[in-house]
Amino acid sequence: MTLASVVGQPRAIDALLAALRGGSVHHAYLFAGPEGVGKELAAVGLAQALTCPEKPNEGCGSCSSCTRIGKGAHPDVSWLMPDAQRVERGLAGRSDIQGTPSREIRVEQIRGLLERITLRGLESKRKVAIVVDAHMMNPQAQNAFLKTLEEPPSETTLILLASAPDKMLPTIRSRCSKVYFGPLPVELVAERLQKERKLDPQTAQLAAVMAGGSLGRALALDLDALAARKDIISGFEALQPGQVGAMLRWAETFGASREEAEQALSILSMWTRDVTLAKAGVERLANQDLLPLAQEVAARTHETVLHRRHALLEKTKNTILERNAAPRLQLERMLIELLEGR
């Protein structure tokens, strides 16, 4: 794997390659975009290009330096991420971390990173620091990091990966060169799913759409969710105004956890898109097996209701994910608001 071999992000990769070839590499980059679309692969590729002794400013992907960067074991390439993610990746055990692993990046971690990158490189003239989920830096950590951006160490490149860059200080964002990564093409994700998870084409296509163009999310998708898809959709469409008990039961069933609620909302967002397409006469849908139901719902639902439904679904998902709100309660509120608007 090299920077040039990262697929599905031609605009982002071309911009980075042009900076390398032109000798205009910035001291700090912000790779912004959804999770699982190639930001981390691109960060590895950029670090390889900056430190590779075989192919400088390109990276060979196969020498000792490039290989160790890919494994997170190069002495001149530092990685930083929340402790909880280190545990999930198997990079640390719970016994290595005091207390409950934090999902934030703390100021102590930033200070430790700054100490490392100010030291002279052991093997490479240039040092690289990759901050995964940089938007999870708490306020104190962001302020500490800002000082480094204002006075960056020489021969050092900082790469911040963020799926929610708006959570970061404007002063941090303004001091970074921004590289945007969009959702991957559904066809690309479906093709990888067929190869890596041995899915049939129809299942792979559906899973790719459900993942929203995120290969990482698609590869981690629980196939049981695909099986539960029909129950989520049919139960939702069966709800009627005044059926408070039915609404509460639906919210209880699919709002038991943040993950389940997010999955249900993603399925309903995709379903609402299908209904909108069916209303326009399109017969090729993501939920192709539910075409008759989509046409039935489209016939009795006004376009403004569908637009409002989609907006409420996205608003509810963002509230659950970004504000750590109770998923069941948010689903209940959404259903009441939707049904009152019918």
Side-chain angles (χ1 to χ4, degrees):
M1 173 63 71
T2 62
L3 183 60
S5 65
V6 176
V7 298
Q9 301 291 351
R11 185 172 298 180
I13 301 307
D14 286 349
L16 293 171
L17 290 174
L20 287 164
R21 293 173 186 140
S24 56
V25 175
H26 202 270
H27 75 276
Y29 284 96
L30 172 58
F31 288 5
E35 294 182 5
V37 298
K39 300 191 301 296
E40 193 167 321
L41 286 177
V44 169
L46 179 57
Q48 290 173 331
L50 292 171
T51 58
C52 180
E54 303 296 329
K55 291 186 177 180
N57 294 323
E58 182 178 350
C60 69
S62 58
C63 69
S64 173
S65 175
C66 288
T67 301
R68 282 180 290 143
I69 289 173
K71 295 179 178 179
H74 195 289
D76 298 324
V77 179
S78 299
W79 289 77
L80 184 64
M81 63 189 72
D83 284 342
Q85 191 168 154
R86 291 176 59 215
V87 173
E88 290 168 2
R89 293 187 179 202
L91 301 176
R94 289 186 176 273
S95 59
D96 300 323
I97 298 169
Q98 293 183 352
T100 302
S102 175
R103 293 202 170 274
E104 292 185 332
I105 294 177
R106 297 168 286 105
V107 66
E108 295 83 7
Q109 292 175 278
I110 295 297
R111 289 171 179 160
L113 175 69
L114 302 185
E115 289 179 5
R116 293 195 298 275
I117 62 177
T118 53
L119 299 175
R120 184 188 299 273
L122 295 177
E123 296 183 13
S124 171
K125 182 179 179 182
R126 179 169 290 273
K127 300 180 296 296
V128 179
I130 301 172
V131 183
V132 180
D133 284 350
H135 57 280
M136 297 305 293
M137 285 189 283
N138 64 27
Q140 296 84 358
Q142 291 199 46
N143 284 320
F145 194 80
L146 179 59
K147 295 178 181 179
T148 301
L149 289 176
E150 292 171 342
E151 299 179 7
S154 61
E155 303 295 338
T156 298
T157 298
L158 307 169
I159 309 173
L160 283 66
L161 315 182
S163 58
D166 290 346
K167 292 184 177 181
M168 300 167 65
L169 291 173
T171 43
I172 288 182
R173 301 199 304 266
S174 67
R175 284 171 169 77
C176 296
S177 177
K178 301 173 189 64
V179 183
Y180 295 100
F181 291 71
L184 295 170
V186 170
E187 294 74 17
L188 173 63
V189 176
E191 182 181 342
R192 289 286 297 274
L193 286 174
Q194 290 181 61
K195 290 181 179 178
E196 298 189 27
R197 297 193 65 176
K198 310 301 180 186
L199 300 182
D200 62 83
Q202 183 175 351
T203 303
Q205 181 79 7
L206 180 59
V209 174
M210 282 183 62
S214 167
L215 179 59
R217 193 177 301 152
L219 291 172
L221 186 67
D222 184 356
L223 294 183
D224 289 341
L226 295 179
R229 171 183 52 98
K230 292 183 181 179
D231 293 336
I232 293 172
I233 292 171
S234 61
F236 175 79
E237 291 297 350
L239 294 173
Q240 297 295 326
Q243 295 181 339
V244 178
M247 284 187 277
L248 294 179
R249 285 192 295 274
W250 191 94
E252 181 179 11
T253 301
F254 301 111
S257 68
R258 290 178 60 192
E259 291 75 16
E260 291 176 86
E262 180 188 3
Q263 203 164 67
L265 291 167
S266 296
I267 288 171
L268 290 179
S269 291
M270 179 176 62
W271 170 246
T272 301
R273 176 181 176 275
D274 277 354
V275 174
T276 304
L277 291 173
K279 197 168 189 67
V282 177
E283 295 190 354
R284 185 174 180 181
L285 310 178
N287 295 278
Q288 190 62 39
D289 55 335
L290 298 179
L291 176 60
L293 179 59
Q295 292 172 330
E296 176 192 328
V297 175
R300 58 180 165 83
T301 309
H302 196 274
E303 287 182 6
T304 56
V305 175
L306 291 175
H307 290 311
R308 181 169 174 270
R309 176 191 289 188
H310 183 268
L312 278 172
L313 288 166
E314 292 302 308
K315 176 184 175 183
T316 304
K317 187 195 301 184
N318 290 335
T319 300
I320 293 173
L321 294 178
E322 296 179 8
R323 301 181 186 176
N324 203 25
R328 177 179 170 181
L329 178 60
Q330 293 305 314
L331 291 183
E332 290 174 358
R333 289 178 174 176
M334 179 196 73
L335 291 175
I336 291 172
E337 191 170 349
L338 277 174
L339 293 170
E340 285 179 350
R342 286 182 180 176

